[in-house]
Amino acid sequence: MNTTNTHPIYPLNNYHYAINHVSGKTTTYEVPSSFLSSSKKNKKWKTSMATMEEIKVDASSFSKLTATVNIRLSNEVNVVKKLMKSFPWLYSQNDSLDKSVEKGIGFQLVSTQVDPSTMKPKMSKESVKGWSKCTSDQKDKDTGCFTFKVELVIDADFGEPGAILVRNNYEEEFYLDTISLEGFFHFSCNSWIQPTQTSKKKRIFFANKAYLPSETPDGLKDLRAKELENKRGDGSGVRLASDRIYDYDTYNDLGDPDKGAKHARPTLGGERNPHPRRCRTGRPSSNTDETVEKRIDTLISSIYVPRDEVLEGARRTEFLIGTWKGLLRNIPPLVATSSNKNGISRDLADVAGLYKSAPQVDQTSLNRFGLLNFLDITGSINSMFKFETPKNLLWDTTSFVRDDELGRQTLAGMNPISIEKLKVFPPVSKLDPSIYGPTESDLKEEHIVGHLNGLSVQQAIDENKLFVLDYHDIYLPFLERINAQEGRKSYGTRTIFFLTTMGTLNPIAIELSLPPDDSNISSRQVLTPPVDATTNWLWQLGKAHVCSNDAGVHQLINHWLRIHACMEPFIIATHRHLSSLHPIFKLLNPHMRHTIAINATARESLICEDGTIERDFSPGKYSMEMACAAYRDWWRFDLEGLPADLIRRGMAVPDDSKPHGLTLLIEDYPYANDGLLIWSAIQELVHSYVSHYYPEENAVISDKELQSWYNEAINVGHADLNDANWWPKLCTPNKLIEILTILIWISSAQHASLNFGQYHYGGYVPKRPPLMQKLIPQVHEPEYANFMADPQGYFLASLPSLFQSTKYMAIIDIISAHSRDEEYIGDIKDVCTNWPNEPKIIEAFYKFSMKIKSIENEIERRNADTRLRNRCGVGVPPYELLIPTSEPGVTGRGVPNSITM
């Protein structure tokens, strides 16, 4: 008897639902009606988007099941196999690799049912398939990819397949992509399989069907527990590159005390420097400090990350290519620096000469140092040593950041999440006055009242016209140590902005603070918009210091801490406590990929001693301690969602009558306007998803895996803040929706908004220097005469040198790039195979995908709206950072699913 299936069918991909219900010796399958007749004859069913129908067939005819397996060899194995094929005489028949080829890969199918006689899962006999019997797909033969079939023999009453065990008898690892049974039951494996000599345990892969722990079929319960046990490990030993073990540790591997005291760095994590935890490697202690993990030689090895987290393929290749391009582009400035003892730019043309196509500049300026002649570089080869021109420079070729551009970038630049509404004037510090001086700012009404269009200061505050970038409390406790470093000078800055009638922000005052001393000279100064040439140069220097502070807060706190570091404990906990069968694991998995590997790379070369962060940003060796202070004093998980963050900063007020439940105080706030569209789409998807799997209130509380996941992420992963009362309580579906929406938002759109614009907004250093080398000269100081004699020279001497600039530019060029195999938000190509027989989930993802496509169109429409002066107009580049899709490369747009750089 046929019954019509009512599942919604969407043009997503060529996949069909398959359900296997066992009743006696009869098995029920859903198959395409268009193949009904052929299936009765051949029992070979192909995929189609036709209406699904249910039929009953005699299960005895299914004593053999055909599994289609897709694997990929590691690069090393693939090279050896190519050599064997091309030069067989190089390899004798007794070669060990030849022997391993015959050993094959073992597959054993596991039922969702248990055998009543043994109370153990029903299992097929193990079937072994060898490489020698595999036929590679011709188009993939050069990539080491193979597709082959394996026959699995099962009993007539086997029941529904629920898992498959895989054993690798080769001497090398291989990557298992997917396994498909008869085109219906799919196993998305996506994992490296180690040889039995490395790992004796068979690998467990579950069919693509989600189960809450309480709903786990009897045949899968033990395997579900075993899978998590294997990924947790026992917390001991040195982790090997082949391991898939997730555990926690402090950041005690950033320094190298064995090289001397100046190379030591404090541990991040603990009472002194609270910080989220990272993935444990188990490396031995250094020789001189047992609390510090021994550094590795990055030339010959890498920091451990679980094997499946390692960057592979196009991502790794493009990263290496970007690194080599960066090295090439550093050569001309390095030679220039060697011929210039100060290493500073002689004029702005030197900086402009770093780019391929910067308009209105002399492209041969670097030749004055004889660089191109020295390197014998001419013609098109010259471009290899030049940087692409940042989008922001194409629109604005002035020497310094304009006032209106500084205001615009606080709303639509690479750090649009620090601007706040000014609530009190003068601003007030929260620092201890006995150490850091009076809490009240030196800003006075007379400094700004002339820039308020006739309003008093209080009227401007009441009418939501005044905003502030306040980096006073973040920097001031570290300034003595920062400024004692060679080539590092910084202030605690406060910048006041006025909201114009055009909806743009204009800076109207900058306060620069230093630690108080015993002299009679004030440790604070206030700069206001210029009235003559002298104040113009002072104003330019003040804005440069503001931009330097903004760059530091962006990279150390908003980017590293709030996204990369704070997400890692949740990712570790997810792998340790949520089975791959768990619906929440399946939802989060696309948003966790690559993050642990990227963070490990950061520990190797970015946030470590003498890494990029220390070299390129004003805080220098105290950078990570600043991040720890922000984590301790300011970070709150419950306020990391976009609406809550906007309200916290006073940039929005709650308003249930508005689409997103709030009203923005600045209507043309591109980051917030575009971000709220994506936030709401994520929230809607998560709501549909959670409501489907947790229809009852107590279902969340009774989910042991879910509760263990959240508790460990807080109590171990964020141990230094585990007693804070602001953590959301995971007690209802609505709270779960809140937590998951925040995690997905941080991993996708929030990270994209802060990362992929770094080169286009920060690639021209004079407009946004990551560090400053000089303070602003005071009249009583000897340097004031030098400033008066050559203000541009003083300005350039305050900036990073050419070589420092290009090293920084090379790094942000690499981390601003999208890979060719990037997976963007809204991509649902695997949704049907990952959620078989879940029409409501498939429908929710389909709606989400359509919503993301409409958001892209809406952002492009906004960028063409001439009324929106912060994203459209002469000299105003469009705001594209939250456009969901992108081409590969440094595009300044695109929202990947996960933290990919």
Side-chain angles (χ1 to χ4, degrees):
M1 178 179 68
N2 295 340
T3 57
T4 302
N5 185 285
T6 57
H7 297 161
I9 302 298
Y10 301 108
L12 305 176
N13 61 16
N14 295 325
Y15 173 73
H16 299 286
Y17 309 123
I19 311 176
N20 189 350
H21 305 289
V22 178
S23 177
K25 289 191 177 183
T26 302
T27 303
T28 302
Y29 283 88
E30 288 187 3
V31 300
S33 61
S34 60
F35 286 84
L36 182 57
S37 58
S38 62
S39 66
K40 290 179 179 178
K41 294 178 182 178
N42 304 320
K43 300 183 178 63
K44 300 286 187 179
W45 300 327
K46 299 180 180 179
T47 57
S48 166
M49 294 315 297
T51 303
M52 311 296 282
E53 295 192 1
E54 184 179 277
I55 62 170
K56 292 187 177 181
V57 295
D58 184 358
S60 64
S61 61
F62 287 85
S63 58
K64 290 184 179 180
L65 294 177
T66 300
T68 302
V69 182
N70 295 289
I71 70 168
R72 169 167 53 89
L73 306 184
S74 64
N75 289 337
E76 292 80 4
V77 176
N78 194 31
V79 168
V80 172
K81 285 182 67 65
K82 287 181 181 179
L83 288 172
M84 289 174 64
K85 184 175 181 180
S86 302
F87 309 102
W89 53 270
L90 287 175
Y91 300 88
S92 69
Q93 292 301 310
N94 294 324
D95 188 278
S96 62
L97 186 59
D98 286 338
K99 290 181 180 179
S100 73
V101 169
E102 298 303 320
K103 293 179 180 179
I105 308 170
F107 300 90
Q108 194 170 16
L109 198 61
V110 183
S111 172
T112 56
Q113 300 181 3
V114 296
D115 185 332
S117 63
T118 64
M119 296 309 294
K120 293 183 178 181
K122 297 177 182 179
M123 302 178 72
S124 73
K125 296 179 180 179
E126 185 178 42
S127 180
V128 178
K129 189 81 170 186
W131 272 341
S132 60
K133 299 177 182 178
C134 299
T135 303
S136 65
D137 187 327
Q138 291 300 308
K139 67 180 179 180
D140 292 330
K141 65 182 180 180
D142 292 331
T143 65
C145 296
F146 292 82
T147 298
F148 59 93
K149 297 184 183 299
V150 179
E151 283 194 343
L152 298 166
V153 180
I154 61 172
D155 293 334
D157 60 350
F158 182 82
E160 180 179 332
I164 194 164
L165 307 181
V166 181
R167 179 166 55 91
N168 177 10
N169 288 329
Y170 293 129
E171 296 177 359
E172 301 291 344
E173 67 178 3
F174 65 84
Y175 187 83
L176 181 56
D177 188 1
T178 60
I179 301 174
S180 178
L181 287 177
E182 299 288 350
F184 288 132
F185 288 97
H186 297 275
F187 300 78
S188 296
C189 306
N190 301 313
S191 183
W192 288 97
I193 312 299
Q194 301 304 317
T196 53
Q197 63 208 44
T198 301
S199 176
K200 301 296 184 184
K201 300 173 183 176
K202 291 182 179 181
R203 287 295 308 280
I204 304 166
F205 296 102
F206 295 106
N208 294 353
K209 186 175 181 180
Y211 296 100
L212 293 175
S214 61
E215 299 169 349
T216 309
D218 290 341
L220 304 181
K221 287 181 178 178
D222 288 345
L223 290 179
R224 183 170 188 150
K226 191 68 175 177
E227 174 208 25
L228 291 174
E229 180 185 323
N230 291 342
K231 292 173 78 173
R232 283 196 287 263
D234 61 5
S236 66
V238 178
R239 295 277 62 86
L240 304 176
S242 58
D243 288 344
R244 295 174 58 256
I245 295 176
Y246 297 78
D247 206 350
Y248 304 90
D249 206 343
T250 57
Y251 283 71
N252 63 347
D253 62 343
L254 302 183
D256 193 351
D258 290 347
K259 290 183 178 180
K262 70 176 184 179
H263 298 281
R265 293 295 180 270
T267 293
L268 309 186
E271 184 176 357
R272 183 174 181 179
N273 290 294
H275 191 275
R277 300 305 190 256
R278 48 93 169 176
C279 189
R280 178 184 176 276
T281 70
R283 294 199 307 271
S285 299
S286 67
N287 298 327
T288 54
D289 188 342
E290 64 178 11
T291 67
V292 174
E293 193 169 87
K294 193 175 187 66
R295 293 287 294 171
I296 63 169
D297 185 346
T298 56
L299 293 176
I300 59 176
S301 61
S302 298
I303 290 179
Y304 165 79
V305 297
R307 179 65 184 97
D308 293 337
E309 306 289 339
V310 175
L311 295 181
E312 302 279 353
R315 293 182 186 278
R316 181 171 178 80
T317 300
E318 289 161 13
F319 182 83
L320 293 174
I321 290 173
T323 301
W324 279 106
K325 286 167 62 179
L327 291 173
L328 286 174
R329 290 164 178 172
N330 283 329
I331 291 175
L334 176 61
V335 178
T337 301
S338 67
S339 65
N340 178 353
K341 65 178 182 179
N342 294 321
I344 64 173
S345 306
R346 299 188 181 183
D347 58 44
L348 288 166
D350 298 341
V351 181
L354 298 172
Y355 305 98
K356 290 181 181 179
S357 56
Q360 301 176 18
V361 297
D362 178 8
Q363 287 292 304
T364 63
S365 60
L366 283 176
N367 265 332
R368 289 180 299 129
F369 298 134
L371 297 182
L372 304 185
N373 292 334
F374 174 82
L375 296 167
D376 193 23
I377 299 170
T378 57
S380 61
I381 299 179
N382 183 9
S383 65
M384 294 174 57
F385 293 83
K386 300 268 189 175
F387 286 87
E388 297 294 337
T389 306
K391 288 182 180 179
N392 219 36
L393 183 56
L394 285 170
W395 292 90
D396 179 9
T397 59
T398 57
S399 301
F400 317 102
V401 63
R402 301 190 315 265
D403 287 3
D404 61 304
E405 181 63 8
L406 178 61
R408 189 189 71 83
Q409 289 198 27
T410 64
L411 302 172
M414 73 175 180
N415 184 36
I417 62 174
S418 290
I419 187 71
E420 301 179 56
K421 180 186 183 300
L422 184 65
K423 299 173 183 177
V424 176
F425 189 87
V428 178
S429 170
K430 296 179 181 179
L431 298 176
D432 184 346
S434 66
I435 301 174
Y436 301 106
T439 58
E440 190 172 275
S441 163
D442 275 7
L443 284 162
K444 307 298 181 185
E445 183 161 355
E446 56 263 29
H447 290 131
I448 66 171
V449 70
H451 304 281
L452 303 182
N453 285 356
L455 300 175
S456 68
V457 172
Q458 191 57 51
Q459 285 175 321
I461 291 175
D462 294 342
E463 295 182 21
N464 301 321
K465 296 290 187 180
L466 290 178
F467 297 84
V468 63
L469 279 180
D470 192 342
Y471 298 138
H472 177 277
D473 287 8
I474 295 173
Y475 274 82
L476 198 65
F478 297 90
L479 283 182
E480 283 191 10
R481 288 174 285 170
I482 290 173
N483 293 343
Q485 300 174 103
E486 183 179 357
R488 295 288 192 280
K489 290 294 182 284
S490 191
Y491 297 95
T493 62
R494 290 188 179 105
T495 310
I496 308 296
F497 294 86
F498 179 72
L499 181 64
T500 71
T501 56
M502 301 298 295
T504 60
L505 290 179
N506 217 29
I508 57 176
I510 296 171
E511 182 182 37
L512 305 161
S513 299
L514 292 170
D517 55 31
D518 295 331
S519 68
N520 295 323
I521 300 172
S522 175
S523 60
R524 301 173 179 176
Q525 60 180 310
V526 175
L527 303 175
T528 54
V531 295
D532 61 9
T534 301
T535 54
N536 176 67
W537 280 105
L538 292 173
W539 182 246
Q540 300 301 340
L541 284 166
K543 288 190 294 183
H545 276 281
V546 170
C547 289
S548 175
N549 278 15
D550 190 67
V553 169
H554 161 262
Q555 200 68 268
L556 308 177
I557 297 172
N558 294 338
H559 187 196
W560 165 255
L561 172 69
R562 296 174 65 184
I563 295 178
H564 285 262
C566 287
M567 275 299 300
E568 185 158 347
F570 285 98
I571 295 170
I572 296 170
T574 301
H575 284 283
R576 287 170 55 87
H577 290 284
L578 295 182
S579 165
S580 58
L581 281 171
H582 202 292
I584 302 306
F585 180 93
K586 292 169 73 69
L587 176 67
L588 288 178
N589 192 42
H591 306 287
M592 302 189 298
R593 293 171 183 160
H594 312 301
T595 304
I596 292 179
I598 294 297
N599 288 2
T601 301
R603 303 206 316 273
E604 287 180 349
S605 59
L606 298 181
I607 66 172
C608 60
E609 177 262 330
D610 198 35
T612 297
I613 297 298
E614 289 196 1
R615 291 195 309 264
D616 294 342
F617 292 86
S618 288
K621 64 183 294 185
Y622 306 104
S623 295
M624 300 316 297
E625 292 179 63
M626 282 183 60
C628 291
Y631 181 67
R632 177 192 63 221
D633 299 333
W634 184 83
W635 184 82
R636 288 181 50 164
F637 178 79
D638 63 326
L639 299 183
E640 287 299 283
L642 179 57
D645 179 60
L646 292 169
I647 292 170
R648 164 174 56 180
R649 291 188 283 120
M651 300 302 292
V653 293
D655 186 346
D656 292 337
S657 67
K658 293 300 174 68
H660 306 291
L662 48 77
T663 295
L664 293 174
L665 269 59
I666 300 177
E667 292 183 15
D668 182 17
Y669 186 178
Y671 158 78
N673 283 307
D674 295 355
L676 285 168
L677 295 177
I678 297 179
W679 168 270
S680 295
I682 294 171
Q683 187 178 53
E684 182 180 341
L685 170 66
V686 174
H687 183 275
S688 298
Y689 193 93
V690 170
S691 299
H692 176 72
Y693 287 105
Y694 297 91
E696 300 177 358
E697 289 284 307
N698 65 353
V700 169
I701 295 178
S702 62
D703 188 333
K704 294 181 179 180
E705 283 186 12
L706 191 69
Q707 293 297 328
S708 296
W709 161 72
Y710 190 59
N711 288 335
E712 186 175 272
I714 295 173
N715 292 311
V716 182
H718 287 274
D720 301 326
L721 298 179
N722 65 347
D723 59 353
N725 59 11
W726 41 253
W727 287 102
K729 307 299 182 185
L730 184 52
C731 54
T732 66
N734 282 339
K735 284 297 181 181
L736 178 58
I737 291 167
E738 175 189 349
I739 293 164
L740 295 175
T741 303
I742 291 173
L743 292 176
I744 295 173
W745 161 258
I746 291 172
S747 301
S748 57
Q750 183 72 298
H751 178 255
S753 70
L754 297 178
N755 184 73
F756 294 106
Q758 290 192 73
Y759 183 76
H760 286 302
Y761 282 96
Y764 183 64
V765 170
K767 290 184 183 296
R768 189 178 172 83
L771 65 83
M772 294 292 284
Q773 300 196 69
K774 290 177 177 289
L775 295 174
I776 296 176
Q778 301 298 301
V779 174
H780 63 276
E781 295 174 339
E783 284 227 81
Y784 193 80
N786 296 331
F787 163 72
M788 293 293 288
D790 182 10
Q792 177 172 288
Y794 190 92
F795 180 89
L796 292 173
S798 299
L799 301 178
S801 70
L802 276 177
F803 187 43
Q804 287 175 310
S805 296
T806 56
K807 286 195 298 181
Y808 169 71
M809 289 158 57
I811 291 296
I812 62 173
D813 182 52
I814 293 170
I815 64 179
S816 298
H818 291 293
S819 169
R820 284 172 291 157
D821 57 3
E822 198 79 89
E823 297 176 4
Y824 295 97
I825 193 168
D827 183 355
I828 54 172
K829 62 183 179 181
D830 295 326
V831 67
C832 289
T833 52
N834 286 334
W835 284 274
N837 200 39
E838 294 286 7
K840 290 184 179 179
I841 298 301
I842 294 171
E843 181 179 15
F845 276 106
Y846 177 74
K847 288 181 177 179
F848 178 66
S849 181
M850 295 301 101
K851 182 69 69 69
I852 292 297
K853 287 180 172 61
S854 68
I855 289 172
E856 183 157 332
N857 294 332
E858 172 62 17
I859 293 175
E860 290 175 347
R861 184 197 65 78
R862 291 174 175 179
N863 284 336
D865 188 341
T866 56
R867 296 171 299 174
L868 304 177
R869 296 302 180 91
N870 290 315
R871 67 199 309 159
C872 183
V874 176
V876 178
Y879 185 71
E880 299 179 322
L881 289 175
L882 289 173
I883 291 179
T885 62
S886 174
E887 296 297 318
V890 184
T891 62
R893 57 178 282 168
V895 181
N897 273 323
S898 61
I899 302 167
T900 55
M901 270 296 174

